[in-house]
Amino acid sequence: VKDSGVGAAEGGRLFCGINSYNIGRPLVQMTLFIWIYLRMAEKLGLSPGDENSLIDMVLPTGAMGNLTGAYMAKQMGVPIGKLYCGVNINDITHRVIDRGEFHQQKIEKTLSEALNVEVPYNFERILFYLTGGNESL
């Protein structure tokens, strides 16, 4: 189990970082994808919630936080169709899906800094969801 990122500051106050490492950020990102779906449905003249009018989404994919948030929204019933992952030259997500290779390699600096990730820390979360909660993986 990963550390929650909760710590104590001076004076005994508790604090917690909101990043993709803990569930806080994907939960916030989930609301973004609900908002995106509603805006796209409005622009396309679709009736919100119409299961026959799925909207596909293309997501930047570094640590997989966007993918996690979008998938969680989809699982909650938002009519999201396919989720496409865009990567840069630091393509661990593509390597895992295409060739089953999940190992670190040297990060190359690019203009898309958020995608410059050695190991996508939400990958385990995505696997957990896609396998129906199978913890044995």
Side-chain angles (χ1 to χ4, degrees):
V1 175
K2 292 197 182 334
D3 186 0
S4 67
V6 175
E10 208 172 297
R13 298 182 98 180
L14 292 178
F15 67 93
C16 179
I18 301 295
N19 56 40
S20 292
Y21 200 80
N22 63 38
I23 194 67
R25 186 157 170 198
L27 286 172
V28 172
Q29 287 170 298
M30 177 183 63
T31 63
L32 169 66
F33 290 103
I34 294 168
W35 183 85
I36 290 171
Y37 168 80
L38 291 171
R39 295 297 71 78
M40 289 303 300
E42 179 182 30
K43 292 281 184 194
L44 297 172
L46 303 174
S47 177
D50 182 0
E51 293 179 12
N52 296 315
S53 300
L54 301 178
I55 296 176
D56 297 340
M57 296 185 181
V58 179
L59 313 169
T61 306
M64 298 181 130
N66 280 316
L67 180 63
T68 302
Y71 186 77
M72 289 167 61
K74 182 175 180 169
Q75 290 303 106
M76 289 182 61
V78 178
I80 296 172
K82 293 181 180 178
L83 296 169
Y84 296 94
C85 299
V87 298
N88 63 15
I89 198 164
N90 301 303
D91 65 345
I92 187 165
T93 301
H94 179 263
R95 285 186 285 123
V96 169
I97 293 168
D98 189 52
R99 300 187 296 268
E101 296 176 10
F102 191 77
H103 56 81
Q104 292 179 327
Q105 64 184 37
K106 186 176 183 240
I107 292 290
E108 293 192 38
K109 197 162 184 69
T110 69
L111 294 175
S112 52
E113 279 293 318
L115 304 185
N116 294 342
V117 174
E118 280 186 276
V119 176
Y121 29 88
N122 280 292
F123 186 72
E124 296 169 31
R125 196 171 277 138
I126 291 292
L127 280 179
F128 180 77
Y129 295 148
L130 292 176
T131 62
N134 184 347
E135 296 176 2
S136 66
L137 295 174

